[in-house]
Amino acid sequence: MNIEQELQMKRFESDEQKASLNVLFTASWMKSRINQWLKDYDLTHEQLNVLRIVRGQRSKPVCVRDISERMIDRNSNTTRIIDKLEAKSLVRRSQSEEDRREMVIILTNDGKELLKKVDAGFQNTNFRMAALTQAEAQVLSALLDKMRELP
């Protein structure tokens, strides 16, 4: 369904407005579909984002500040998300060796196993970019990067 049908609009003020609304609508649509799928894993997309950031450290502890800076949704309450992941035994929090004022996070074995399941399941979902060719996905990514270059 095209954006005109989705938003029940016959015309837009400009192509730029149409594109902006389409990006916002599509991001919300993807987030909703991903969150629905993640319910099977008892995760939110924010929790998955934190788990993937921590996994990316390759077993090295990462501080909460660094996680917050790398989040997709930077308005997320990273501490609260980590609290929930720790309660699920997916991450472990400890005091930093280098700076006692700082807390660091490490992925537990349960967290690693859950991420393996999520990654495998993600390959079989239909909300990925399956409708786009690899070349189209590359162009879309480049255009979105260009969009964020605006002052």
Side-chain angles (χ1 to χ4, degrees):
M1 191 177 300
N2 65 33
I3 194 66
E4 290 88 352
Q5 292 169 318
E6 291 285 2
L7 299 180
Q8 300 175 21
M9 293 180 70
K10 292 186 189 227
R11 59 182 248 272
F12 296 88
E13 290 177 21
S14 65
D15 287 335
E16 290 82 7
Q17 181 199 40
K18 179 180 177 179
S20 294
L21 290 172
N22 207 340
V23 166
L24 291 171
F25 181 85
T26 304
S28 178
W29 172 83
M30 283 187 75
K31 185 176 176 178
S32 175
R33 293 191 64 169
I34 289 170
N35 275 335
Q36 186 65 35
W37 174 74
L38 285 172
K39 283 183 181 180
D40 291 344
Y41 301 96
D42 191 29
L43 289 175
T44 65
H45 78 279
E46 295 92 352
Q47 290 171 348
L48 178 60
N49 190 200
V50 168
L51 289 173
R52 286 183 166 166
I53 290 168
V54 175
R55 176 178 62 185
Q57 294 304 115
R58 310 218 190 290
S59 299
K60 290 190 291 188
V62 59
C63 71
V64 175
R65 177 181 29 85
D66 289 344
I67 293 171
S68 294
E69 289 173 359
R70 295 180 58 198
M71 293 287 291
I72 291 171
D73 183 357
R74 301 219 168 117
N75 293 324
S76 298
N77 184 336
T78 308
T79 302
R80 180 184 52 79
I81 295 167
I82 292 169
D83 289 343
K84 290 184 178 189
L85 292 172
E86 191 172 33
K88 296 176 185 183
S89 300
L90 301 174
V91 298
R92 189 174 67 247
R93 184 185 336 225
S94 62
Q95 202 169 37
S96 171
E97 297 284 328
E98 291 87 35
D99 184 349
R100 294 270 186 224
R101 297 170 293 172
E102 195 169 64
M103 296 303 288
V104 293
I105 310 302
I106 193 159
L107 200 59
T108 64
N109 287 334
D110 287 348
K112 290 174 187 176
E113 289 303 312
L114 180 60
L115 278 174
K116 284 181 189 174
K117 291 176 188 172
V118 170
D119 289 345
F122 191 73
Q123 296 306 313
N124 299 318
T125 60
N126 64 354
F127 57 75
R128 331 181 261 125
M129 300 291 199
L132 301 179
T133 65
Q134 184 174 354
E136 289 170 332
Q138 290 171 350
V139 168
L140 175 60
S141 186
L143 290 171
L144 292 171
D145 288 344
K146 185 175 182 178
M147 227 177 113
R148 289 190 313 279
E149 290 174 5
L150 294 174

